């Protein structure tokens, strides 16, 4: 929308020898085959000046670039696209962040509007913003991928530690029962007792398996909603562990957040409950959904009566704060993804609290430090 630029491209380049990715383009009309046509030009020997900017990490300015391109047969595959805008000179600005070059911004200037120092400074500022945005998006994608991998590993571990172990016990019990039945002096009372034990093992294995299946596919969220999904998970946890889990939410509570936000909230609650079972030696957990005080946002608290002691804190700064666990890091990243704040720590009266505050859609909550872990 700048007055002196006819067209612009934002290109991501992972490998100079591979195809680039177009992240944004304006002013060219129909340019859907730009990358394929550019590859054809490179095979014909066309000199691609924005690669000089990418590899040299310095701006490249080429005056009167369009006439040279339109007269060069090596650029013939792109003549239709490059000939559409009314432009003359060209600038390519590298996108550099944390010492890495991610791509370039290419600007095509109107005839008579040769790029001067002010225009180059403007493009450099835009390149800095674009580089940070691309880098942040990449890191978020990697974080979500790592979180999914961690969840798969945890589910596999839980499957082995619960269902597989119980099925093994059931197999041994079934063999023992068969031996008793086949024996000449079979005792009906012992057979009945063994059968009842086998039934209990199968019921426990079924409950664990249902819980794991629910964790694999909690999203029922779209149909049942976040609060009911958490209630279902809490009921499954109670059946497996004997832990008393109470879930409270106002009947009038309305969730305006999208399904992705609700999934992250569900996973945060799930991780908090997993930590309670694994670390807290607790007998009861309270889960509270309440509207944020500023209106429009949401607060979710998971509080247990376990072994956490000391003063809760909203900051990990200061001496002696324990290093964050992977679970707490995952919960924090899920919270911050939506502009929220997570505070986790022991309560003065004993036990532990995880508190997540999410803003209303479009709003932001300032991200403070978080407490340490168990």
């Amino acid at each position: 929308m700048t007055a002196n630029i006819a067209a612009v491209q934002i290109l991501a380049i992972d490998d100079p020898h591979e195809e680039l990715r177009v992240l944004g383009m304006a002013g060219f009309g129909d340019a859907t085959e730009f990358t394929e046509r550019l590859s054809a030009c490179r095979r014909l020997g066309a000199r691609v000046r924005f690669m000089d900017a990418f590899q040299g990490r310095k701006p490249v300015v080429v005056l009167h670039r369009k006439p040279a391109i339109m007269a060069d047969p090596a650029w013939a595959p792109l003549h239709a696209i490059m000939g559409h805008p009314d432009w003359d000179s060209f600038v390519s600005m590298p996108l550099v962040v944390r010492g890495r070059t991610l791509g370039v911004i290419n600007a095509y200037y109107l005839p008579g509007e040769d790029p001067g120092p002010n225009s180059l400074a403007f493009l450099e500022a835009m390149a800095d913003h674009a580089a940070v945005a691309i880098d942040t998006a990449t890191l978020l994608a990697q974080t979500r991928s790592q979180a999914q991998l961690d969840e798969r590993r945890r589910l596999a571990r839980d499957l082995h530690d619960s269902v597989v172990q119980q099925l093994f016990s059931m197999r041994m019990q079934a063999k023992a029962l068969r031996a008793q039945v086949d024996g000449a002096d079979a005792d009906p009372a012992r057979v009945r007792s063994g059968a009842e034990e086998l039934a209990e093992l199968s019921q426990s294995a079924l409950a664990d398996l249902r819980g794991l299946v629910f964790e694999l596919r909690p999203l029922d969220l779209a149909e049942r909603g976040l609060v009911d999904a958490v209630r279902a998970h809490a009921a499954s946890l109670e059946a497996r562990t004997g832990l008393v889990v109470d879930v409270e939410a106002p009947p009038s509570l309305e969730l305006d957040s999208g399904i992705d936000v609700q999934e992250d909230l569900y996973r945060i609650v799930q991780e908090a409950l997993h930590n309670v079972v694994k670390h807290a030696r607790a007998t009861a957990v309270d889960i509270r959904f309440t509207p944020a005080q500023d209106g429009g946002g949401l607060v979710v608290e998971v509080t247990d009566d376990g072994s956490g002691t000391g003063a809760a804190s909203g900051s990990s700064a200061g001496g002696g704060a324990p290093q964050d666990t992977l679970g707490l890091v995952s919960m924090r990243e899920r919270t911050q993804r939506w502009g929220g704040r997570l505070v986790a720590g022991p309560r003065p009266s004993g036990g532990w609290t995880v508190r997540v505050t999410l803003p209303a859609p479009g709003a932001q909550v300032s991200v403070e430090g978080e407490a340490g872990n168990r």
Side-chain angles (χ1 to χ4, degrees):
M1 296 175 66
T2 56
N4 58 342
I5 295 177
V8 66
Q9 300 163 325
I10 302 178
L11 308 177
I13 304 170
D14 300 318
D15 184 335
H17 303 291
E18 301 294 333
E19 277 197 357
L20 51 83
R21 290 178 289 123
V22 178
L23 302 183
M25 186 180 295
F28 287 97
D30 182 11
T32 53
E33 297 181 355
F34 176 81
T35 55
E36 294 83 353
R37 291 174 179 268
L38 178 62
S39 295
C41 293
R42 294 174 73 176
R43 289 193 295 270
L44 292 171
R47 183 180 180 186
V48 182
R49 296 304 308 273
F50 67 72
M51 294 305 302
D52 296 339
F54 176 81
Q55 293 173 327
R57 295 188 179 183
K58 294 181 180 179
V60 169
V61 179
V62 185
L63 301 181
H64 313 302
R65 177 65 169 157
K66 183 177 181 179
I69 285 180
M70 300 306 291
D72 188 344
W75 284 100
L78 269 175
H79 279 171
I81 293 175
M82 303 304 290
H84 176 74
D86 184 18
W87 66 284
D88 183 42
S89 296
F90 168 80
V91 173
S92 185
M93 186 70 64
L95 307 175
V96 182
V97 65
R98 296 191 294 128
R100 296 186 303 120
T101 308
L102 306 180
V104 293
I105 288 182
N106 294 335
Y108 300 82
Y109 284 78
L110 291 166
E113 297 285 351
D114 292 342
N118 290 339
S119 188
L120 292 178
F122 165 75
L123 282 180
E124 185 176 7
M126 292 298 99
D128 288 343
H129 284 300
V132 170
I134 295 168
D135 188 53
T136 301
T138 302
L139 291 174
L140 285 174
Q142 291 172 350
T143 297
R144 180 173 286 273
S145 177
Q146 183 61 45
Q148 291 172 343
L149 180 60
D150 291 342
E151 285 165 6
R152 290 193 190 101
R153 287 173 175 167
R154 181 179 64 80
L155 286 169
R157 183 179 64 247
D158 290 349
L159 182 63
H160 176 270
D161 292 345
S162 60
V163 178
V164 172
Q165 300 278 5
Q166 291 176 73
L167 289 175
F168 178 77
S169 298
M170 289 167 61
R171 182 186 176 200
M172 299 301 295
Q173 187 68 17
K175 285 185 174 181
L177 276 174
R178 185 174 62 187
Q180 291 180 36
V181 171
D182 292 343
D185 56 347
D187 183 351
R190 290 182 61 188
V191 172
R192 185 181 301 107
S193 174
E196 289 175 352
E197 184 177 347
L198 183 60
E200 289 176 2
L201 281 170
S202 64
Q203 183 176 359
S204 177
L206 181 60
D208 282 355
L209 191 57
R210 282 175 174 167
L212 290 169
V213 169
F214 182 78
E215 289 183 29
L216 284 169
R217 242 199 112 179
L219 310 182
D220 294 338
L221 281 177
E223 301 170 2
R224 66 169 66 193
L226 173 63
V227 175
D228 284 345
V230 168
R231 285 196 174 107
H233 179 64
S236 173
L237 193 69
E238 285 184 330
R240 297 200 316 270
T241 66
L243 188 68
V244 177
V245 185
D246 183 46
V247 182
E248 288 190 9
S252 59
L253 182 67
E254 295 184 3
L255 297 177
D256 298 328
S257 53
I259 195 68
D260 289 340
V261 181
Q262 293 186 44
E263 179 180 357
D264 275 337
L265 280 172
Y266 177 87
R267 295 299 185 188
I268 290 169
V269 173
Q270 184 185 56
E271 180 64 33
L273 291 173
H274 175 74
N275 287 341
V276 171
V277 172
K278 187 174 181 181
H279 300 292
R281 297 190 294 277
T283 60
V285 182
D286 292 328
I287 303 173
R288 299 285 180 269
F289 293 85
T290 55
Q293 292 182 351
D294 57 0
L298 178 67
V299 177
V300 183
E301 280 189 326
V302 181
T303 304
D304 67 65
D305 65 351
S307 58
T309 58
S313 168
S315 174
S316 59
Q323 186 177 9
D324 291 346
T325 63
L326 286 176
L328 184 58
V329 169
S330 174
M331 288 191 286
R332 180 191 301 119
E333 288 172 344
R334 290 183 184 277
T335 304
Q336 293 180 350
R337 185 178 299 151
W338 307 108
R341 180 176 69 245
L342 181 142
V343 178
R347 297 181 297 153
S349 59
W352 195 270
T353 295
V354 173
R355 178 186 174 94
V356 175
T357 304
L358 289 189
Q364 288 289 322
V365 172
S366 59
V367 179
E368 300 172 0
E370 294 81 12
N373 57 311
R374 292 188 189 279

